[in-house]
Amino acid sequence: MNIDWQQYASQYRIFLNRLQQIQRFAHPALAYPLAARIAHHYSPNKEMQANICQSFAQAANKPEIPLKKFWSHYLNHVGATDLNTFMYRKMTPQWIKQRVKINSPVTLESLRKHDRGLFVMTYHNHYPHFLGVVLGQMGLEAGLKSHLIAMDITASPLYDYLREEAEAYYRDCENCFAGGQYLYMHQNQPIAAMRKLHQALRNGETVISLNDFPSPFISKRNLELSVFGYQYAFPVGTLEIALRQKTPVVAAWIRWLGWDRFCLEVRPLATENGLENVMAQYLEILQSQLVVADPALWEGWKWLTPEMKVSL
């Protein structure tokens, strides 16, 4: 799909301006639903509707979910997450406690190890940065830093057009990580980020990693697996480091529940049977829990192209 990134950036700036006005004058309980509605009219993501809906229809095999409903929910998430662009500066541990409930069979505190930290595997959904903020603010009083592994923002095709907005967004998020930081992955310097990951875990800190996408790097640290009947190479280098250090591993993600309420979902992963087994658990949770509860929450539909289809 060819996208005019300059035009996309222009539309996105208009969308953000409207969201900024909402957060100035509306209580969060009203601001999030209003942002969801505004996304239906102003979000530039509308340009991707055909591609995402087609991939969802072919991969999910859920004829009971009309594409119109799926796309409506998708845009609702776009509005809610982009409103957070202007909400992060207001987020405190108390703000999080009031608005984010936790659905987990165990507490994160019981999992985190003093000299091994906690490795959190999340997904490319609408709220991975918010997850970093939530975990950072939850650990702020105890001095437990959170780090989020992310692609270098300068590599984005939008960066040249929205540089000021992008840098402000990442700065505001990072300020909520309780002293943690983004661990940027650079195509030519992945080892630097890996060293920082290793040290963060050794310090007993939390590291968030997204491993559900086709790896952009040619690396031995990729693993061929299938998801929704499509196969591609998943990046596993970050997970390898966590397993070598015997770090506890969980899958986790954020769901918007409506109004100004969110849910932090946490699922511990067994690590004793090695890397491929951990990835299998991670992808099974994506397919049987996250997507079942809300298919529009996952943004990875756009990656599932016909050439990745597994022949049965």
Side-chain angles (χ1 to χ4, degrees):
M1 179 175 57
N2 294 322
I3 297 176
D4 183 335
W5 291 111
Q6 185 172 6
Q7 181 182 0
Y8 183 97
S10 178
Q11 293 174 345
Y12 192 47
R13 186 174 285 112
I14 293 172
F15 177 43
L16 289 177
N17 287 340
R18 280 157 176 74
L19 295 180
Q20 187 173 29
Q21 292 301 313
I22 288 175
Q23 69 84 29
R24 284 176 178 171
F25 301 109
H27 186 277
L30 293 177
Y32 283 101
L34 284 173
R37 295 312 306 164
I38 283 181
H40 287 250
H41 300 284
Y42 292 102
S43 170
N45 284 279
K46 293 188 298 181
E47 303 297 325
M48 306 176 185
Q49 178 177 356
N51 177 53
I52 294 175
C53 285
Q54 181 180 15
S55 294
F56 164 71
Q58 293 175 348
N61 191 27
K62 292 182 177 293
E64 72 277 11
I65 301 178
L67 292 184
K68 184 176 181 180
K69 180 179 180 181
F70 164 80
W71 186 247
S72 176
H73 287 177
Y74 192 97
L75 288 179
N76 288 344
H77 286 303
V78 169
T81 192
D82 281 350
L83 178 66
N84 278 339
T85 301
F86 308 103
M87 300 296 290
Y88 289 131
R89 298 172 194 176
K90 302 179 179 181
M91 293 184 185
T92 63
Q94 185 63 22
W95 194 102
I96 297 298
K97 186 176 181 180
Q98 290 176 347
R99 294 174 173 85
V100 181
K101 74 172 188 177
I102 302 174
N103 180 18
S104 173
V106 294
T107 65
L108 293 175
E109 290 76 12
S110 68
L111 292 171
R112 189 181 286 107
K113 301 301 181 184
H114 174 69
D115 59 347
R116 298 174 188 171
L118 179 66
F119 190 72
V120 179
M121 299 182 71
T122 193
Y123 304 92
H124 280 79
N125 61 84
H126 297 276
Y127 307 100
H129 299 273
F130 187 33
L131 175 62
V133 168
V134 168
L135 294 181
Q137 291 300 295
M138 285 174 56
L140 183 62
E141 294 180 358
L144 299 173
K145 299 179 182 179
S146 292
H147 306 269
L148 177 58
I149 298 172
M151 295 298 294
D152 181 4
I153 60 173
T154 64
S156 168
L158 284 171
Y159 182 74
D160 288 340
Y161 306 110
L162 293 171
R163 177 178 303 188
E164 183 177 343
E165 290 86 349
E167 292 180 351
Y169 179 91
Y170 277 76
R171 182 175 60 250
D172 289 345
C173 286
E174 194 171 70
N175 285 340
C176 295
F177 289 177
Q181 59 184 204
Y182 282 100
L183 305 181
Y184 290 114
M185 292 294 295
H186 302 263
Q187 184 169 2
N188 298 323
Q189 297 177 313
I191 294 177
M194 294 299 187
R195 287 174 177 166
K196 291 180 180 179
L197 161 62
H198 174 83
Q199 189 59 52
L201 295 178
R202 286 288 301 272
N203 291 341
E205 297 163 2
T206 298
V207 176
I208 303 166
S209 179
L210 294 86
N211 299 76
D212 62 329
F213 65 103
S215 174
F217 304 134
I218 298 174
S219 171
K220 294 180 180 179
R221 295 188 175 93
N222 293 336
L223 185 63
E224 289 276 349
L225 294 167
S226 64
V227 61
F228 299 107
Y230 292 73
Q231 186 163 338
Y232 52 85
F234 294 85
V236 294
T238 57
L239 178 59
E240 284 182 331
I241 291 176
L243 294 180
R244 280 202 300 269
Q245 295 187 202
K246 301 187 183 305
T247 298
V249 180
V250 301
W253 65 98
I254 298 278
R255 288 195 300 125
W256 181 44
L257 303 178
W259 303 107
D260 59 343
R261 295 294 184 265
F262 297 85
C263 182
L264 168 59
E265 303 276 1
V266 180
R267 305 290 183 271
L269 303 180
T271 59
E272 58 270 15
N273 292 322
L275 183 144
E276 189 163 350
N277 182 264
V278 174
M279 283 298 295
Q281 295 173 69
Y282 168 68
L283 295 177
E284 173 59 23
I285 289 170
L286 169 66
Q287 296 169 94
S288 67
Q289 297 185 41
L290 186 152
V291 164
V292 168
D294 185 355
L297 185 58
W298 192 52
E299 296 181 291
W301 302 115
K302 58 191 174 186
W303 296 318
L304 305 183
T305 57
E307 59 268 21
M308 294 178 175
K309 186 69 175 176
V310 177
S311 298
L312 300 177

